[in-house]
């Protein structure tokens, strides 16, 4: 067993022994105990603890702007935030996981003695920023792909210790499935996949690999052959379709950029040749460096997408956590609006209103107004059902089809 490099002096060494294999990742206990925190928070606690200045605060999480000028984003990571704060003397209000939100809308507010919550700021932000970015990117691809299969392929772009976190966010955002086995198990779904180029190289031909797949792999697994390894996609498609016949479910084109040219025309040509020969049942899946724009161009000829980097390495949503109230008195730093807030949404017209907590907007479209910031935790006790990712994903899909994400955004500030 290779020895783990010695830890910096002062680390509680009884936790890290040479027979405790670990990556350069934080353990559950490291995060839960607040060890994944920025030093200046521990210093603030050291200065404030036991003094009159250590007071009850409300601090809210807001993104002033969204990446790539997104007009909306999908909130993900809330469950882990609540697990982190559970059993701590902290209360919280917030949007439920999977809610579509907009810039400057509070998504979470924590309340408690400052020194009880300070060391969690780093971890809370990390849990929300990354997961919300991934979920939003997945949702943006879902809107472009309509009801077509959209598989998250991107675990290979992130550290394996957090791959299930990233794939959960991609699934919540609207991906139909995920490629990593562990993530699929945690989500309670079947993992999605086809075949790697390596299999075809070792089997000597795409046809041989497809036949072997058909002979050896679980009969319930869809037969999807990768057809860009050796030869032109058109001729590979015909050969594989004729070899597998009705057993063939789909072909995957992962055509390298050096050969891609007009990818849509390649797909149209393959589609033509397959249909001409009676293989209308064979679907065409695409993957490889797919961007939102690429999916938009391929709609109408592609029957499914595998997206990796664009989703798993999505830009983070730049949330910040800021005090907005101390001992019940509104107070915030320059650039932030002080005081606890409500985010009202009209279920009639979709309009949204940011109001001081306790104030309702005057709105007259006849729809019912709901404050989206709901009590999530009371003194460390979780108050809400934490639904499985499957149900959170359904909430997101519902929002994507509703008015909620139309470009205008319907957002109003209090007068
Ligand atoms: C992999 C897969 C997708 C890539 C990586 C991940 O390609 O087939 O095309 O998607 P992304 O480009 O959106 O990040 P290769 O590694 O070339 O294929 P394989 O692993 O099958 O050899």
């Amino acid at each position: 067993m290779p020895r783990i490099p010695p830890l910096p002096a002062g680390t509680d060494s009884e936790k890290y022994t040479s027979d405790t294999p670990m990556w350069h990742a934080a353990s559950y206990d490291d995060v839960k105990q607040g060890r994944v925190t920025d030093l200046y928070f521990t210093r603030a606690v050291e200065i404030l603890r036991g003094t009159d200045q250590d007071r009850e605060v409300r601090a809210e999480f807001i993104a002033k702007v969204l990446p790539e000028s997104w007009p909306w984003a999908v909130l993900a990571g809330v469950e882990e935030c609540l697990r982190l704060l559970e059993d701590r003397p902290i209360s919280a209000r917030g949007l439920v996981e999977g809610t579509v939100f907009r810039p400057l809308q509070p998504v979470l507010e924590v309340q408690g003695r400052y020194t009880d919550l300070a060391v969690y700021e780093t971890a809370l932000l990390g849990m929300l920023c990354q997961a919300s970015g991934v979920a939003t990117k997945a949702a943006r691809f879902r809107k472009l792909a309509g009801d077509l299969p959209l598989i998250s392929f991107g675990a290979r772009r992130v550290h394996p210790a957090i791959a299930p976190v990233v794939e959960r966010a991609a699934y919540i955002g609207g991906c139909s499935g995920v490629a990593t086995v562990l993530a699929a198990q945690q989500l309670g779904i079947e993992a999605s996949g086809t075949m790697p180029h390596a299999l075809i190289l070792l089997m000597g031909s795409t046809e041989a690999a497809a036949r072997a797949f058909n002979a050896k792999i679980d009969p319930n697994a869809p037969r999807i052959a990768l057809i860009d390894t050796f030869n032109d996609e058109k001729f590979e498609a015909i050969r594989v379709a004729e070899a597998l016949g009705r057993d063939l479910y789909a072909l995957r084109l992962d055509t390298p950029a050096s050969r891609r040219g007009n990818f849509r025309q390649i797909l149209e040509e393959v589609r033509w040749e397959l249909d001409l020969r009676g293989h209308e049942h064979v679907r065409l899946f695409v993957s490889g460096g797919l961007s939102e724009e690429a999916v938009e161009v391929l709609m109408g000829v592609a029957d499914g997408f595998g997206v990796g980097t664009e989703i798993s390495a999505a830009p983070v949503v730049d949330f910040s956590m800021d005090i907005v109230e101390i001992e019940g008195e509104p107070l915030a730093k320059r650039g932030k609006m002080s005081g606890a807030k409500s985010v009202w949404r009209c279920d009639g017209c979709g309009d949204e209103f940011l109001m001081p907590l306790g104030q309702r907007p005057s709105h007259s479209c006849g729809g019912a107004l709901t404050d989206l910031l709901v009590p999530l935790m009371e003194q460390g006790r979780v108050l809400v059902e934490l639904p499985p990712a499957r149900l959170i994903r359904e909430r997101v899909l519902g929002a994507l089809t509703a008015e909620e994400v139309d470009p205008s955004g319907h957002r109003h500030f209090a007068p």
Side-chain angles (χ1 to χ4, degrees), residues 141 151-157 194-201 226 228-229 252-256 260 286-291 306-312:
F141 271 96
I151 308 301
S152 168
F153 253 38
R156 65 188 68 187
R157 308 297 186 220
T194 61
M195 60 176 67
H197 292 100
L199 176 70
I200 296 159
L201 291 168
L226 179 63
D228 62 86
T229 307
R252 176 161 76 97
L253 289 83
D254 192 62
T255 308
R260 200 164 275 198
V286 293
S287 61
L290 294 180
S291 61
V307 179
T309 313
E310 282 283 310
I311 290 177
S312 65

Side-chain angles (χ1 to χ4, degrees), residues 7 11 31 50 68 97 121 126 191 194 219 223 274 305 321 349 388:
L7 287 147
T11 307
V31 178
E68 300 170 356
E97 191 145 11
E121 176 169 344
T194 61
R223 270 65 180 135
L274 288 170
F305 304 96
M321 171 178 147
C349 65

Side-chain angles (χ1 to χ4, degrees), residues 159-170:
H159 188 286
I162 64 162
V165 172
V166 171
E167 298 250 79
R168 177 180 185 272

Side-chain angles (χ1 to χ4, degrees), residues 1-8 11 15-28 30-31 36 158-164 182:
M1 169 77 69
R3 276 200 56 74
I4 297 174
L7 287 147
T11 307
K15 190 161 60 74
Y16 298 96
T17 61
S18 61
D19 58 2
T20 312
M22 60 178 292
W23 310 110
H24 293 290
S27 68
Y28 171 84
D30 288 329
V31 178
V36 183
V158 301
H159 188 286
I162 64 162
L182 177 61

